[in-house]
Amino acid sequence: MSTVPFERVLASVPVSPAQFPFSRADLQLLDTVAGCGDLAEVARRLGLRQGSVERRLDRLDKDVDLALTRRGCHSVQLTAAGSRLLVAGRRFFRQVDLAARTEIFGSGPEALDAPDVLTIASAGPLLEDVVEDASATLGVLLSISHDTPHGALRQLADFSVDAVHTWGFDAPHASVDRAVRVYDVLDDALWVTLPSGHRLADRESLALADLLDEHWVSEAGPGSEVLVERVFHAAGLPKPARLQVAAASVVRGMLHRGDVVGLGSPTGPALHTPNLVRRSVVERPRRTCALIVDPAVVPGALAEQLATLLTARYLGRFAEHHQDMLRDPWWAQWYGEQLDRQDASAAPAAHTSPGAPSPSDSGPEPGQLDVEDLHLLRAVAQHGSINRAAAVLSISQSALTRRIHRLEFRLGARLLLRSSRGTSLTSSTRQFLRQLDAFETEFHGAGIAARRSTGRPVPHRRWTKAG
C-alpha cells in the first residue's frame, strides 16, 4: 500500500483494496496487544504464529508511517501513537456499525456490543474494586489513566480515550467539541477538612464566611475552574485571599500535613490521620461526579451499569470511612437520598439500552462491514455505476456484481437497485456512505494528531471525496 491508510484515495488512479484506516483484524491485533503485552500470548489468543504477529505489526507501522508498538524479545506494548490510533480505529468501526444499523438495517442507534477493553481517563481516584467488579460482573476490562479534570476531558476530545470519569458544577462536558453522553454518578456534597487544633475544630458545622481568612488549598476542575473559588462565589463571598491551587494529589498531601484548609467529599479517598477533622458546611456546597462516554463506542446499557457500579462503591466507602459524618442529620439525609436514587437507577441499568435488541429477540444479528466491503460500496458510489467501478477496481463487472450480491446475502440487507437503466446503490446505502466520509475524516484527524505528537511531518496532498 503506497499511501497512509486513513488518507482519501486519489480519484485519478486505481483504488487499492484497503483505502480505509485498518481492517477489523488489524484492530483486533492492536486491541490484543493493548490487553496482553506478551508476544507469545498475543499470538496464542489470535491463533497465529509469533512471527506472523510481528510481521503484521511491522506492516501496520509501515502503512501508517508511525511506530505503533514497542517490542522486546518477548514483550510488546503500544506506543502513544499506537494507543491513540487504536482508540480512533475502534471508534471508526463503532461508528460504521452504528450508521449501518441505523441506515441500512434500521435497528436503532444502540445496537452495539461492548468493547473488550474500555479506556477511561479519571480525574479522581477510580476505586480498584470497581476495576475488578467491572471485569467480573460487566465483562469489560478497564484501562485507567489519571489526569486533571481539564486534561481528562482533553483526552476525550482528542479521541485518546473512550470515556472520562470527572466532576463539575454545571456541564463538565461542555468543553468537549464532539458528541458525548453524560451519566451522573453521585451528587457529590462537600465538607471542610481542617487541622484538629484549628480554633473552629470543635464546631459541628462551619460557615464559609468564618473561614475566609484561612490558608486554603484547592484543585481545579473542567475549564480550569477552581473548586474553592467557585464554592465561595456561589455563597456570595469573595475568594479567600490565601488560596493555593494544585493538582489533586498535591492537595491531598498538603491536607495530610495539617497546615491548610480544604474541601473534601465522598468521592475522595479517606484521610485517616489524627491531626485532621471533617466538618459540615452551612452553605451545603455540592458538585456532580459524572461518567462521560463516547456513545459510538460505549453502549448505553454498559455506561449505565458502570455509573451505577461507581455510585455503589462511593456510597459504600462513605459509609465505611465517614461514619462520623452520619451523626449530622443533614448528611444522614443526603446518604439516604443517594441510596434511594441508586435503587431507582439500578433496575433500568440492568436492561439493554433503548433501541437495542433484547435478549429474547430472535434471529441473528446483522453482519458487520469490513474495509473491503466499504471499499466496494465506495467505488460504486464514487464512479456512478457497477461498470465504471469495476474498471477502476480492475475486475470484471460480473465479478463486482457477484461480490456485492454475496455481501447483501451475508448482511441480509439490500444494497443495490436494479432497473432497466442499470444497477446503482440504494438511497439508504448512499446515506450510509455520506456518513462514512465524516468517520474517515475524523480518523484522519487522529492520525495527524499522532504524527504531530511524535514530531513527524504531516503529508499534504490533494484528495477528492469518495462517495
Side-chain angles (χ1 to χ4, degrees):
M1 193 159 42
S2 60
T3 61
V4 178
F6 44 75
E7 299 281 13
R8 296 198 184 108
V9 64
L10 280 169
S12 59
V13 297
V15 183
S16 64
Q19 73 180 72
F20 293 93
F22 299 129
S23 69
R24 292 184 186 270
D26 294 333
L27 260 294
Q28 183 185 19
L29 173 60
L30 293 181
D31 233 334
T32 306
V33 169
C36 182
D38 180 79
L39 274 170
E41 179 62 17
V42 170
R44 187 192 68 79
R45 293 185 185 184
L46 296 176
L48 300 172
R49 295 181 181 274
Q50 183 171 326
S52 297
V53 169
E54 295 192 75
R55 285 192 294 274
R56 286 179 59 182
L57 291 174
D58 287 338
R59 176 183 61 78
L60 279 175
D61 288 354
K62 183 179 179 181
D63 287 346
V64 300
D65 195 23
L66 283 170
L68 301 182
T69 57
R70 186 181 299 109
R71 277 169 270 167
C73 293
H74 305 289
S75 63
V76 59
Q77 60 181 349
L78 296 180
T79 62
S83 297
R84 174 169 287 184
L85 290 188
L86 170 60
V87 171
R90 181 190 295 152
R91 175 178 169 81
F92 174 85
F93 281 109
R94 292 282 170 177
Q95 287 178 309
V96 167
D97 291 344
L98 176 61
R101 294 187 183 193
T102 301
E103 298 297 336
I104 298 177
F105 301 109
S107 299
E110 292 290 349
L112 293 173
D113 298 324
D116 293 331
V117 180
L118 190 65
T119 58
I120 300 179
S122 177
L126 197 64
L127 306 178
E128 289 302 318
D129 46 6
V130 170
V131 176
E132 297 167 2
D133 287 348
S135 173
T137 63
L138 305 183
V140 62
L141 303 178
L142 303 182
S143 175
I144 311 297
S145 62
H146 294 277
D147 207 334
T148 64
H150 180 73
L153 290 173
R154 175 51 50 196
Q155 287 194 56
L156 186 62
D158 290 344
F159 303 97
S160 298
V161 294
D162 304 317
V164 162
H165 170 254
T166 189
W167 59 265
F169 289 99
D170 297 319
H173 64 286
S175 61
V176 181
D177 187 20
R178 57 181 286 200
V180 296
R181 191 169 295 166
V182 182
Y183 297 83
D184 290 343
V185 171
L186 197 67
D187 175 15
D188 198 19
L190 303 171
W191 59 65
V192 169
T193 300
L194 67 165
S196 56
H198 194 276
R199 57 186 175 83
L200 302 176
D202 57 343
R203 297 188 184 181
E204 288 297 323
S205 60
L206 303 173
L208 291 173
D210 296 334
L211 300 167
L212 193 56
D213 297 328
E214 299 298 325
H215 182 190
W216 281 86
V217 65
S218 177
E219 58 183 302
S224 300
E225 186 176 47
V226 178
L227 174 63
V228 168
E229 183 177 338
R230 172 63 183 268
V231 167
F232 270 80
H233 177 75
L237 298 169
K239 70 176 183 179
R242 293 191 296 166
L243 174 59
Q244 183 171 346
V245 181
S249 59
V250 176
V251 170
R252 177 178 168 82
M254 294 179 68
L255 289 173
H256 195 275
R257 288 194 314 207
D259 53 4
V260 292
V261 174
L263 294 172
S265 82
T267 60
L271 282 166
H272 292 296
T273 176
N275 65 327
L276 290 179
V277 295
R278 294 176 296 274
R279 294 293 180 260
S280 297
V281 183
V282 173
E283 291 81 359
R284 308 303 185 192
R286 304 185 187 204
R287 63 182 180 179
T288 298
C289 179
L291 180 69
I292 306 172
V293 307
D294 180 344
V297 176
V298 187
L302 173 61
E304 288 175 358
Q305 292 179 60
L306 186 55
T308 300
L309 183 60
L310 283 165
T311 302
R313 284 304 181 185
Y314 281 133
L315 291 177
R317 185 172 64 180
F318 173 80
E320 179 181 357
H321 297 297
H322 303 292
Q323 283 287 335
D324 57 320
M325 300 299 295
L326 293 176
R327 291 196 296 266
D328 184 325
W330 185 88
W331 276 100
Q333 180 181 353
W334 171 89
Y335 180 61
E337 290 173 351
Q338 302 307 303
L339 287 177
D340 290 342
R341 193 178 74 169
Q342 179 195 12
D343 292 340
S345 63
H351 296 89
T352 53
S353 51
S358 67
S360 61
D361 286 345
S362 60
E365 283 289 299
Q368 294 177 321
L369 291 155
D370 207 347
V371 289
E372 282 198 30
D373 307 324
L374 298 174
H375 170 68
L376 293 180
L377 297 178
R378 262 273 182 83
V380 175
Q382 179 181 353
H383 298 285
S385 73
I386 293 286
N387 189 29
R388 288 191 290 270
V392 171
L393 294 169
S394 300
I395 60 177
S396 68
Q397 179 179 348
S398 59
L400 177 57
T401 302
R402 284 195 302 272
R403 290 177 65 175
I404 296 182
H405 283 175
R406 285 197 297 269
L407 178 59
E408 287 181 316
F409 180 79
R410 177 164 60 84
L411 297 178
R414 188 179 182 185
L415 305 174
L416 292 178
L417 288 174
R418 300 164 183 86
S419 67
S420 57
R421 294 184 177 182
T423 306
S424 61
L425 296 176
T426 64
S427 59
S428 60
T429 306
R430 289 184 179 277
Q431 176 61 28
F432 163 75
L433 289 176
R434 281 192 286 271
Q435 296 184 44
L436 178 62
D437 187 65
F439 307 155
E440 188 185 5
T441 300
E442 186 180 275
F443 187 94
H444 174 70
I448 290 177
R451 281 178 164 273
R452 286 173 176 160
S453 66
T454 59
R456 302 295 294 273
V458 178
H460 294 279
R461 299 185 180 93
R462 294 187 65 185
W463 305 97
T464 61
K465 290 184 179 179

